[in-house]
Amino acid sequence: MADIRVRFAPSPTGYLHVGGARTALYNWLYARHHGGVFILRIEDTDVDRSKPELETAILESMRWLGLAWDEGPEVGGAHGPYRQSERQERYRQVVAQLEKSGAAYPCFCTAEELQARRAHAEAEHRAWKYDGACRHLSADEIARRRSAGQSYALRFRVPHSGTTAFDDQVFGRIEVSNADIEDFVLARSDGHPTYHLGVVADDLDMRVTDVIRGADHLSNTPKQILMYRALGATVPRFAHLPLILGPDKQRLSKRHGATAVGAYRDQGVLPEALVNFLALLGWTPPGGKEIVPPEEMVQSFELSAVSKSNAVFDLEKLAWMNAEYLRHLPRERLLPLVEEELRKEGFRIQDSGFSGRRPEAGRQDPGFRIQDSEGGNQKLEIRNQKPEVRDEIAEVRRQHAASPAHEREKFERSVLLLQTRARSLKDFVQSGRAFFSDEFDYDPEARKKFWKDAALADYLDALAARLEKAETFDAAETEKVLRGLAEERNLKAGLLINASRVALTGQGVAPGLFEVMAALGRERVVARLHRAAAFLRNPSAGNN
RNA sequence: GGCGCUAUCGUCUAGGGGUUAGGACGUCAGAUUCUCAAUCUGAAAACUCGGGUUCGAUUCCCGGUAGCGCUACCA
């Protein structure tokens, strides 16, 4: 299949929702698999509901998911414009062509009239379909009404007999008799095209070879095929995708909670996890693997392997998949993500208040590096500077070496520690709060469970004292110290371990205690143990 | 109502005329342990119903039922 061209055509009447995202993904996979072109088109024919901000948000979500388009807004292409609102002239031409050939005719029925007739039919339990009132108006009559200024819509003249069929790449052969298709509207009385006109004209102009979209369009397809034929055009291949449902098996909607792609990003979901999860909603890769990297998806994606039945969006499985991706995320990618998360939550990463030896704000980086003409970084030579400047630079360097570098290291170790049990990026700032700030509360549940022993305050002080003097401060050494103390006092090590965990992290649940200690550093550990001891002696003095 | 589509564990699904109906998430139990994850082991859990075709149907056909979609001058 050479020269495959597919498109994803969202309408900017809402955010990109997960169903749309899956449709976009399948289009993208199909295009990439076949070395074809992936087009993004904005279907903003509904002028009342379409909003430019929403278009921006959709584009943003697409980029976040990693679904780059080859033609469309912002990247252009040879078959644009890619916004329906900018293609009005083209639709007028198509309508004119259809009207001229007799495939379309003006309908002067007003919305109210149609409404009334429909209601009447329903009241009598008759199936309603546009009754063709204007289907056979004479040319004279049409001219008369037009010159009288009567507004009209344009309808497609659907044949009364015969059937329209097509071979869907997912659903197989679909056949409907034309008698069941009504004379649908192509152009509204205000001249704006309807969806049917827009898609067909655009898909034609954009040379779309494969229309891949939600199964909610399955019933619309025969109408569109009729239009292609009336236009004398080649009918593209169609592939319809089963719908995504909520837990109640109803079509997924806002009622079910988060449906927007952006909402999942805000909840700390990784794009690769969402993509992988969405891909599996209706498609099974060969071998039934669950975790499938994008390259592999592209390689093995086949429309014929797409399921025909609707799928429930299972948040639990998404959460699992997100955790899976999060745990295996390379640190270069994880660290910036966590930093961003912390920033969003108002943490100041370099300034967690421990060493107090960080450079003052205004002096942080007085030309420590300069940009060379190639754009790379180049260190300033100290010896060529005037003495005052030289001293200042030297001082800043010293501080950078002493404190920020150290803090940075602690930060990285903490992130990596937390990574092993994170389920979402939010976990780093929520349950992991104590790793990035001194301001954290003792979880009431954890206190109840692990701070029961009356003598704990003394134990924690004793532990702090010993840790302060410990030879080194790595996991092995701190463990030795703690277990030694436990043995001397005839305590179970678990008692001290669990109590210390609450003291150091505020949580009853956290990574292994000795790794936590190493990541936090001696100073913080000692301070927090003492602080917890003080709190235990006098809880009313305040939490913290 | 009319038209169309769909139907395997709670969920996502594999499979296909003869299978102990497979996997994954979730659930439960155990191992591990310093809490919780992770990990490992194990368990419970499904072919919508009725007819046909057939030596044999979960699989193929027909019908019922249920669900979903379309039925707009929405997309």
Side-chain angles (χ1 to χ4, degrees), chain A residues 167-180:
Chain A
D167 290 297
D168 191 274
Q169 294 197 80
V170 171
F171 285 92
R173 186 152 190 88
I174 306 285
E175 222 173 307
V176 291
S177 60
N178 294 336
D180 290 323

Side-chain angles (χ1 to χ4, degrees), chain A residues 164-416:
Chain A
T164 301
F166 64 103
D167 290 297
D168 191 274
Q169 294 197 80
V170 171
F171 285 92
R173 186 152 190 88
I174 306 285
E175 222 173 307
V176 291
S177 60
N178 294 336
D180 290 323
I181 305 173
E182 72 170 355
D183 285 358
F184 53 97
V185 173
L186 294 173
R188 305 184 175 98
S189 42
D190 64 2
H192 282 289
T194 60
Y195 168 73
H196 296 296
L197 175 62
V199 249
V200 171
D202 292 348
D203 286 342
L204 223 41
D205 287 352
M206 295 174 190
R207 310 271 189 277
V208 170
T209 56
D210 294 79
V211 173
I212 304 171
R213 56 184 6 172
D216 45 345
H217 291 294
L218 204 54
S219 324
N220 291 327
T221 307
K223 293 178 191 163
Q224 292 163 18
I225 289 175
L226 255 16
M227 288 175 68
Y228 281 101
R229 296 213 179 116
L231 257 8
T234 307
V235 180
R237 280 182 294 265
F238 290 96
H240 288 89
L241 275 16
L243 268 17
I244 297 181
L245 312 176
D248 57 357
K249 305 273 182 94
Q250 298 288 304
R251 205 228 271 249
L252 193 67
S253 74
K254 310 101 238 142
R255 282 187 306 105
H256 296 104
T259 55
V261 166
Y264 288 94
R265 176 180 48 189
D266 293 345
Q267 284 171 27
V269 172
L270 296 170
E272 47 269 66
L274 187 55
V275 162
N276 193 153
F277 174 72
L278 252 16
L280 259 39
L281 230 43
W283 173 65
T284 312
K289 272 180 57 175
E290 302 285 330
I291 302 292
V292 192
E295 323 79 61
E296 228 169 280
M297 277 187 211
V298 167
Q299 217 254 86
S300 55
F301 185 77
E302 295 288 351
L303 283 174
S304 59
V306 172
S307 154
K308 289 196 262 281
S309 40
N310 296 343
V312 173
F313 191 86
D314 182 4
L315 279 173
E316 281 301 324
K317 187 152 182 179
L318 205 214
W320 165 78
M321 192 160 286
N322 196 46
E324 197 71 18
Y325 273 93
L326 209 45
R327 275 197 300 274
H328 296 107
L329 207 60
R331 50 144 49 187
E332 322 80 77
R333 206 163 120 54
L334 178 64
L335 291 170
L337 284 171
V338 174
E339 281 182 76
E340 190 191 328
E341 209 57 53
L342 289 167
R343 241 192 323 274
K344 272 194 279 185
E345 297 294 320
F347 287 76
R348 283 179 303 163
I349 299 162
Q350 299 287 65
D351 174 11
S352 34
F354 268 107
S355 72
R357 290 192 297 158
R358 66 189 187 285
E360 289 158 41
R363 293 174 53 196
Q364 283 224 345
D365 198 359
F368 207 45
R369 288 159 191 275
I370 57 165
Q371 292 266 301
D372 66 20
S373 50
E374 266 71 49
N377 283 318
Q378 190 185 69
K379 277 200 181 140
L380 214 55
E381 278 301 323
I382 291 185
R383 62 173 180 274
N384 292 338
Q385 298 291 334
K386 284 187 256 175
E388 317 89 76
V389 177
R390 191 172 67 197
D391 287 345
E392 186 173 78
I393 291 173
E395 166 68 1
V396 170
R397 273 195 181 170
R398 199 179 57 74
Q399 289 177 343
H400 272 243
S403 168
H406 202 49
E407 284 299 301
R408 180 71 201 170
E409 194 191 329
K410 286 180 187 167
F411 166 75
E412 292 187 6
R413 291 189 64 172
S414 298
V415 170
L416 264 21

